[in-house]
Amino acid sequence: MLTREMNERLTRVGPGTPCGELLRRYWHPIYPEARLADNPVAKVRILCEDLVLFRDRGGGLGLVQERCPHRMTSLAVGIPEAEGIRCCYHGWLFNAEGKCLEQPLEPGGTSFKDKVSIKAYPVQALGGLVWAYLGPKPAPLLPRWDLFVRPHGFRQMVGHQLPCNWLQCMENRGDLGHAVYLHGRLFQYALEREGRLTDDPKARYNAMVKTQAEALARGVTTKYRPIYNKYGFTKGMLNSDQSEDTRSWSVGVNPILFPYLLAFGPEAGDKRIRKSYQFGVPVDDTHTWHVNYFCYVVPEEIAIPHQDSVPYAEVPLQKPNGEYRLDYVLGQDMVAWAEQGEITDRTQEHLGASDALVVAYRNLLREQIDLVEAGQEPMNVFRDAAEIDSPELRIAGNDTGGAPMRATMLGASIGYRENYHKLSKGGWPYIDDDADRFCPDREVILELFRKVEDLNARQKEKV
Ligand code: FES
Ligand SMILES: [Fe+2]
């Protein structure tokens, strides 16, 4: 439970708010770069600021305030020129630094244009995303987290703008237990309602809930702890019947990279080639652009198809009839976050032992807000070029994925997809259980899965 004041302090992201000032120390992914090929001018909202992103005809990126300072029409309907963006109404031209270059309807020989400038922020492209920095100068370096720059990987991303505050998405990162019900029991119920459970009794049986209930009946419980590192923390989890040197407890799993990147390694099993980041970008106090960024990593001997850009697809929160779409993992998460309310009222919550990592994230966030207020630099603000290449690869636990989690009681639930699909007669491939099914290059991904399977089979034959 938080006080009303603390809930405000941790959630609001506008200029001048404590959390907004903290988040302005970081680069934020604001837009899929591939979309600029369709339309080089886009309206974006980030940290409660209305802005316009453009790629001019010289190839340069710019991010400026939305309103033209002449008579306030939107630059989102502007025209990209050789350098900068021209307002559609009377043709004022602005460059990426916000300088007014031309006022074509004004008499020449005056200094009027030199007296006019607009707000402009630095932008960079990396990993198929456009990133922006809205904070005090000098801007730090843009960190090159592993999956955005890894050379032998096939990338796709999916996202959705959710009608809720960013911290709700972020608190889910520490909430390992929710998989049992949100992705287990609810998944089963959603398929049941849609008549999609197979007749195979094994496929209908809910191993997640059963495993967890049986463990509880034996007196086994799972405990959690944050294992802090330079970039955030990994999540430690341990069953009460396990030894403390179990890797999921001693090293932890699935790092949280402050402020809001969550890294998943490849899971155990030869078909699981997907690494991913999840991040919820704070659009404003009550909206979050949530993105799953997938990188399919295969052995070097398998060729990766060339990608000119990283495709982006919107994933649905609802069906055409307005009901929530609950038949995939990310959809289940998004519904739970949105249904906590626009800014969930944490004065009314009742946290339990299974919320230990939710509390750990809040504490870290609170500490970093305090640092900025005290005039210091928060964590993960990089100013040394030697530090920005795949920093998370230097921390233990970044590559652990499912294998060590499977050793734990709740970790057993991470195999939930198999409870429905491994034995199903439907023969649904693994990636259909989650948001990957919406990836534009789904067929390419399936082909990569098949190639990895073939390679593994050939290697087994040799042995
Ligand atoms: S409103 Fe933009 S140039 Fe007039
Ligand atoms: Fe989830």
Side-chain angles (χ1 to χ4, degrees), residues 72 192 206 216 269 327 409 436:
M72 314 310 287
E192 178 192 332
N206 194 320
L216 273 180
D327 65 345
M409 178 184 81
D436 319 44

Side-chain angles (χ1 to χ4, degrees), residues 172 175 178-179 182-183 278 329-330 332-333 337 416:
N172 174 262
D175 177 2
H178 78 276
L182 188 66
H183 305 316
Q278 289 185 11
V329 171
L330 176 62
Q332 295 150 7
D333 282 315
W337 307 333
Y416 59 86

